[in-house]
Amino acid sequence: MSVFLLPVDTCNKLEGMMSKFWWRSDSSKSHGVHWKSWQNLTKHKHFGGMGIRDLRDFNLSMLGKQAWQLVVNESSLVSRLYKARYFPRGSFFNAELGNNPSFIWKSILETQKLILSGVRCNIGPGTSIDIQRDPWFPDAFNPFVTLHLVGLDDCQVASLMEVNDR
């Protein structure tokens, strides 16, 4: 689960087997007593559930850990191999599937949007940050710098944009 992306159908079948284990008291009977719904069983224990994890989410989180290691440990052998093969001119965040990708790379790349939704840049001295294009605000809805110009005409806005591009 931490290296390969399981198909949704496989996750559903495994969850079906898990639910049958909880709901059937005897394997010879076709029906059992449903004490709680599957949604309630998969809730966290603090919220009244049994703490059973959704297998698809768990699979994606384990793959996300692998992807995060590619981002954080850029000097590791695995990171250097994947970078050389799949994103030689960029980072994991702008990587693409590429030609003839391995199944592991396809699986890890599935978590790219998940990782991007929570990652923020560390500004540091600010020499490598493009404040208008990098998501560095902690706001989940708009992590980018936006500029609202009130009272300026189109010519003034165009001249400001030209100054910014220099």
Side-chain angles (χ1 to χ4, degrees), residues 7-17 55-56:
V8 176
D9 190 44
T10 303
C11 291
N12 291 339
K13 286 180 182 178
L14 286 171
E15 285 180 354
M17 286 186 253
L55 290 181
R56 179 70 175 182

Side-chain angles (χ1 to χ4, degrees), residues 14 22 32 42 44-45 47-48 56-57 62 74-75 79 83 95 99 107 112 121-122 129 133 136 139 146 153:
L14 286 171
W22 284 105
T42 57
H44 195 276
K45 291 178 184 177
F47 300 114
R56 179 70 175 182
D57 292 343
M62 298 307 290
E74 291 179 346
S75 62
S79 295
K83 182 168 179 58
N99 296 331
S107 300
Q112 186 181 41
C121 295
N122 187 3
I129 300 296
R133 292 183 181 87
W136 58 279
D139 184 11
T146 54
D153 62 9

Side-chain angles (χ1 to χ4, degrees), residues 47-114:
F47 300 114
M50 294 287 291
I52 298 172
R53 294 203 168 101
D54 181 292
L55 290 181
R56 179 70 175 182
D57 292 343
F58 186 68
N59 186 214
L60 286 173
S61 68
M62 298 307 290
L63 287 168
K65 285 179 75 173
Q66 299 294 332
W68 186 246
Q69 290 302 313
L70 293 177
V71 172
V72 175
N73 298 329
E74 291 179 346
S75 62
S76 71
L77 180 62
V78 173
S79 295
R80 289 185 291 158
L81 284 171
Y82 278 110
K83 182 168 179 58
R85 171 92 193 262
Y86 297 110
F87 48 98
R89 293 177 194 83
S91 69
F92 172 76
F93 300 119
N94 55 16
E96 295 179 0
L97 200 54
N99 296 331
N100 198 15
S102 68
F103 188 69
I104 296 173
W105 176 246
K106 287 181 193 176
S107 300
I108 290 175
L109 198 62
E110 275 295 314
T111 64
Q112 186 181 41
K113 289 181 184 176
L114 178 69

Side-chain angles (χ1 to χ4, degrees), residues 20-62:
K20 286 177 186 175
F21 171 79
W22 284 105
W23 290 333
R24 287 190 187 166
S25 58
D26 188 5
S27 62
S28 63
K29 296 180 183 177
S30 62
H31 298 289
V33 178
H34 294 221
W35 296 105
K36 280 192 162 192
S37 69
W38 185 248
Q39 288 178 341
N40 285 332
L41 287 176
T42 57
K43 284 183 184 176
H44 195 276
K45 291 178 184 177
H46 294 298
F47 300 114
M50 294 287 291
I52 298 172
R53 294 203 168 101
D54 181 292
L55 290 181
R56 179 70 175 182
D57 292 343
F58 186 68
N59 186 214
L60 286 173
S61 68
M62 298 307 290

